[in-house]
Amino acid sequence: DAGVIQSPRHEVTEMGQEVTLRCKPISGHDYLFWYRQTMMRGLELLIYFNNNVPIDDSGMPEDRFSAKMPNASFSTLKIQPSEPRDSAVYFCASSLTLREGTDTQYFGPGTRLTVL
Amino acid sequence: GQNIDQPTEMTATEGAIVQINCTYQTSGFNGLFWYQQHAGEAPTFLSYNVLDGLEEKGRFSSFLSRSKGYSYLLLKELQMKDSASYLCAALDSNYQLIWGAGTKLIIKP
């Protein structure tokens, strides 16, 4: 398996622009997670899906952020409008299950977002 | 609230042993993970503990004490490639991972 795939790897945009980050989880994994990582705040869970359904979006910072999972092999995280404080590395991760603690989360390579 | 504490940074010498500590406070507990993250890369799974005791996996070992809310990651025979951040994460009662800020480990020759 190719692992979790994310695109783009790097994104530089100007404040106010719409940004869309994409993720393809590992085939057969039922759970998909979106994280944001910064030096100041570390790794933060934004939202996670189970079988394409959003389960917990309490980590989404504000209404400017939205995430969708139209099918089992694709998810997007959208920021509209973007702001400089959104600059971070955004990771997508997937796991086979959630309730089996031995089932780890596999992370994608991340998207490094810079908002000017 | 839920909280994970680990040192911000540690320095060790190549060939030596280092122990990275982690204390956690969570609503319920379903195990503790350690992840390794090299600079500019994604976190990768190292270990999982749910029962008290030591789990050994090659040069890396992880220990858990549920009664003390404490875990450590032990790295032996340190190599330069072990320079990375080490993230401690606890699985709470809702099976959500609560992440620590990470410990940056610097290995010196």
Side-chain angles (χ1 to χ4, degrees):
Chain A
D1 201 312
V4 176
I5 299 171
Q6 290 186 248
S7 65
R9 294 294 307 277
H10 301 272
E11 176 81 28
V12 180
T13 190
E14 292 187 345
M15 182 174 63
Q17 296 298 306
E18 177 179 294
V19 175
T20 299
L21 311 181
R22 297 172 176 78
C23 175
K24 175 178 168 55
I26 293 173
S27 177
H29 280 192
D30 290 338
Y31 288 84
L32 183 140
F33 306 83
W34 282 102
Y35 288 93
R36 177 173 67 177
Q37 188 175 40
T38 61
M39 289 294 292
M40 291 297 295
R41 300 175 67 91
L43 198 61
E44 302 173 277
L45 177 65
L46 300 177
I47 185 172
Y48 79 93
F49 295 82
N50 177 24
N51 291 323
N52 313 338
V53 177
I55 302 301
D56 184 351
D57 65 353
S58 60
M60 296 286 260
E62 48 197 275
D63 292 345
R64 297 185 298 106
F65 286 69
S66 63
K68 294 181 180 179
M69 192 165 186
N71 58 62
S73 59
F74 183 66
S75 176
T76 60
L77 178 68
K78 185 176 294 186
I79 308 172
Q80 168 62 16
S82 58
E83 296 182 3
R85 60 191 168 123
D86 302 330
S87 297
V89 180
Y90 290 81
F91 287 106
C92 175
S94 71
S95 69
L96 188 60
T97 67
L98 190 64
R99 293 191 168 270
E100 291 294 324
T102 52
D103 191 49
T104 186
Q105 292 183 21
Y106 295 87
F107 283 74
T111 295
R112 182 173 296 276
L113 174 65
T114 302
V115 183
L116 303 174
Chain B
Q2 308 202 94
N3 191 51
I4 306 284
D5 284 319
Q6 52 181 131
T8 303
E9 187 175 295
M10 298 181 70
T11 301
T13 304
E14 188 177 16
I17 299 172
V18 71
Q19 177 175 312
I20 303 174
N21 296 323
C22 169
T23 57
Y24 62 89
Q25 289 180 308
T26 55
S27 301
F29 180 74
N30 282 297
L32 190 124
F33 288 82
W34 283 96
Y35 279 76
Q36 180 189 57
Q37 186 177 23
H38 285 102
E41 298 183 9
T44 55
F45 170 77
L46 281 179
S47 69
Y48 169 75
N49 295 66
V50 67
L51 300 176
D52 285 355
L54 187 69
E55 295 274 347
E56 297 187 71
K57 192 184 295 185
R59 294 189 300 113
F60 293 6
S61 302
S62 56
F63 172 83
L64 176 68
S65 169
R66 294 176 66 128
S67 62
K68 296 181 178 178
Y70 168 71
S71 173
Y72 68 73
L73 181 68
L74 191 71
L75 292 75
K76 303 176 184 177
E77 301 170 17
L78 285 170
Q79 302 176 10
M80 297 303 292
K81 67 178 181 179
D82 298 329
S83 292
S85 286
Y86 292 85
L87 304 171
C88 172
L91 203 59
D92 72 8
S93 58
N94 293 319
Y95 291 87
Q96 291 200 29
L97 276 175
I98 310 301
W99 293 85
T103 298
K104 183 179 180 180
L105 178 63
I106 299 168
I107 310 296
K108 295 185 176 182

